[in-house]
Every structure is written in C-alpha cells, then in structure tokens.
Amino acid sequence: MAWMSARPLRPGLSIKAVGFSQRLMRRIIPVLGGLVLLGVWQYGAANTPSYILPSPGDILARFIENPALWARAWLTTVSVALLALLAAIILGSSAALLMSLSRTLEHLIYPYAVTLQVTPVVAIAPLILIYVDSPLVAQTLCAWIVAFFPILANTLVGLRSADRNLEDVFTLYHATLRQRMILLRGPASLPHAMTGVRIAGGLSLIGAVVAEMVAGGGGFGLAFLMVESSYRLDIPAMGVSLLLIAATGIAFHLILAVLSRRLLQGWHESAQDNVQDGVQDSEHNHATHHHSTAPRG
C-alpha cells in the first residue's frame, strides 16, 4: 500500500527548516520595509527643495561633515538616558519591594508615584532646571521621573504574583522572609520587572530628549542640536539628530529585549521561541493528517 511505503518525516530536520525560515522572515521583512520607505523618501525628496524635505543623501552628507560633533551630542544624550534608567531600576525596584511588604507604605508611596506619572515632564522640567544647579543632574532627574513608574508598577505586580500554593509550601517549611524573596517572589517578579525595564528604557530616552529641549543652552545633546538647527532652518541637521535619536531608541529596545530573553530563557514561557510553537503546530497537523489518511482496521 502507498501509505505503508511512505517515508516518515524527520522531526529534527523539520524543526531546523521551520525555525530557520521563520527567523529569516523576521529579519527580511523589516529590512524590505525599510528599503521601501527609503525609496519613497528619496523619490519624494527628488522633486522637493532640501530645505523642505532633505534626501537621505543630504542627511548623510551633513553627518559626515562633522561626525565628532554628533558623536559628542549622542554620548551626552545616551549618558543622561542610561543614568536615568539605572536610577529608575534601583529606586523603582526598591520601592516596589517595600510596598510589597507593607500596605501602609504602599498607601503612602503609590499616590505620589502616580502623580509623577500623570504630570507631563514638560511642565516639571522648567522647575527642576531652576532648582537644580547641575544641568546633567537636572536632565537626569527629568528622565528618571518618566522612567520610574513602569518599573515600580510592574515589579510590584510581579512580587505579588507568586504562586499561592508555593507560598503555602514555604510557610510549611518555616521559610524566612529572605528565603521567600530570593527563592520565590524574586523569580516570580522577574518577567514583570523586565517588562517594566523595557518600557522604561524608551521612556528614559524620551525624558532625556525633553529635558534637553527645555534646558536650552544648559545641555549639549542631540535634542539641543535639533532645536538649534531649527532656529537656522537647517533641516538636514535636524534629520541627523532625529535619526540618531530614533536609532538609539531602537538599540535600547533590542538590547533590553535580548537581556530579558537571556534572563528568562529556559524557565519562563514568555521567553520561549515562537518557532517552537509553529513547529509543534505543524507537527500536530501532520500527525492529524497522517492519522486521518491511515486505513481503518
């Protein structure tokens, strides 16, 4: 019979093939989309004056004119964003830990954290720049205000999401609070905390950019160069600043996503590769089809 002589699938080969094709598609599709966008941009700029819509070549030429200037401004902006993110991670996770241990502290801290979150940083930044002498500290504080709440809220949810059955087991064995935090609540909160960190990474860059714009001459970052270029109607220079800020934000997102995946891979479902789901679905469909086509006894 034909069905008896058919060769069985090789699961290892199918997993590799499906995994490679899906990884390849995940990389090719964004690149193709970017190339299409660049083509449309170049086509639109060909018939438009450069002071209205500069072409990608105009922006690249402006960057090549003085790369040291852009590198210095980029380093300033990134330094503010990283310092703010680091402060948000330390203070946000510490506050979440205290709030998870005491409802009184939660009722004390959480309303003010929400107040900082819902108040636009553009409204707070001028006051901070007046009261704080150092421009770097003032800009870092502005960026920290934006990045603080996501880490606090997500970490607090994670600390309270530990399995209740495991909590009972720890109680049964008379575990100390330190043991609960290190062995149970800490690992349970890590996926939520990393979600907060990924959100805060982009927000810290946004806060740094807003702070530089408000600071005026008090800072020398990419946002400052963008504002200064707008006064001179230097649109290509504004494009360089904008593209560098966007590229930095993408880099922040990718680095934090890889870090999150490395910390969670192997033990948490959120870090499992979607390829495995696709492979399992395809193998299940094949098994179902093979079973349906097999002759009945």
Side-chain angles (χ1 to χ4, degrees):
M1 300 295 290
W3 66 272
M4 296 180 62
S5 61
R7 297 178 60 186
L9 288 178
R10 297 170 58 187
L13 182 60
S14 64
I15 291 175
K16 292 181 180 180
V18 173
F20 176 76
S21 63
Q22 291 191 6
R23 288 194 297 269
L24 187 62
M25 289 300 295
R26 284 202 301 266
R27 288 164 174 77
I28 289 179
I29 291 177
V31 173
L32 291 178
L35 292 176
V36 171
L37 181 61
L38 283 176
V40 173
W41 181 4
Q42 180 64 43
Y43 177 79
N47 301 316
T48 307
S50 61
Y51 59 85
I52 296 178
L53 179 62
S55 67
D58 296 331
I59 293 178
L60 179 61
R62 183 54 52 89
F63 174 79
I64 294 176
E65 287 179 3
N66 193 354
L69 174 70
W70 300 108
R72 177 188 170 192
W74 177 83
L75 185 60
T76 300
T77 301
V78 171
S79 299
V80 171
L82 290 179
L83 286 174
L85 179 60
L86 179 62
I89 292 174
I90 296 174
L91 297 178
S93 57
S94 300
L97 177 60
L98 294 176
M99 291 165 61
S100 69
L101 299 176
S102 172
R103 289 287 182 179
T104 301
L105 288 177
E106 180 182 0
H107 296 155
L108 176 64
I109 298 174
Y110 204 78
Y112 297 101
V114 173
T115 302
L116 286 177
Q117 174 67 17
V118 300
T119 304
V121 69
V122 179
I124 304 177
L127 294 175
I128 295 176
L129 292 167
I130 291 174
Y131 297 137
V132 180
D133 294 332
S134 172
L136 177 62
V137 175
Q139 293 169 22
T140 303
L141 184 57
C142 292
W144 170 83
I145 290 174
V146 180
F148 170 72
F149 186 79
I151 296 178
L152 170 67
N154 283 276
T155 304
L156 180 60
V157 171
L159 288 171
R160 289 181 173 164
S161 64
D163 192 307
R164 296 302 175 188
N165 295 323
L166 293 178
E167 289 277 7
D168 294 338
V169 172
F170 274 67
T171 301
L172 181 63
Y173 284 94
H174 305 286
T176 63
L177 179 60
R178 180 180 179 182
Q179 290 173 329
R180 288 177 184 269
M181 286 298 175
I182 295 177
L183 300 177
L184 177 60
R185 297 178 187 174
S189 68
L190 189 57
H192 298 81
M194 290 308 302
T195 299
V197 170
R198 291 200 303 270
I199 297 172
L203 292 179
S204 65
L205 181 61
I206 294 174
V209 169
V210 171
E212 288 177 7
M213 288 183 170
V214 176
F220 187 79
L222 293 173
F224 169 76
L225 289 182
M226 182 185 298
V227 173
E228 188 268 340
S229 301
S230 67
Y231 294 150
R232 298 183 288 104
L233 295 180
D234 190 351
I235 309 302
M238 293 179 63
V240 174
S241 297
L242 181 60
L243 290 180
L244 286 176
I245 291 172
T248 303
I250 294 173
F252 273 28
H253 173 77
L254 293 178
I255 291 173
L256 293 175
V258 170
L259 177 61
S260 176
R261 186 177 182 83
R262 289 289 182 265
L263 291 175
L264 303 177
Q265 194 172 28
W267 67 274
H268 196 267
E269 295 177 354
S270 64
Q272 300 304 315
D273 197 345
N274 292 332
V275 172
Q276 296 297 328
D277 296 336
V279 170
Q280 292 175 0
D281 291 342
S282 63
E283 289 182 344
H284 174 73
N285 293 336
H286 171 75
T288 303
H289 175 72
H290 180 76
H291 177 74
S292 62
T293 55
R296 298 292 186 265

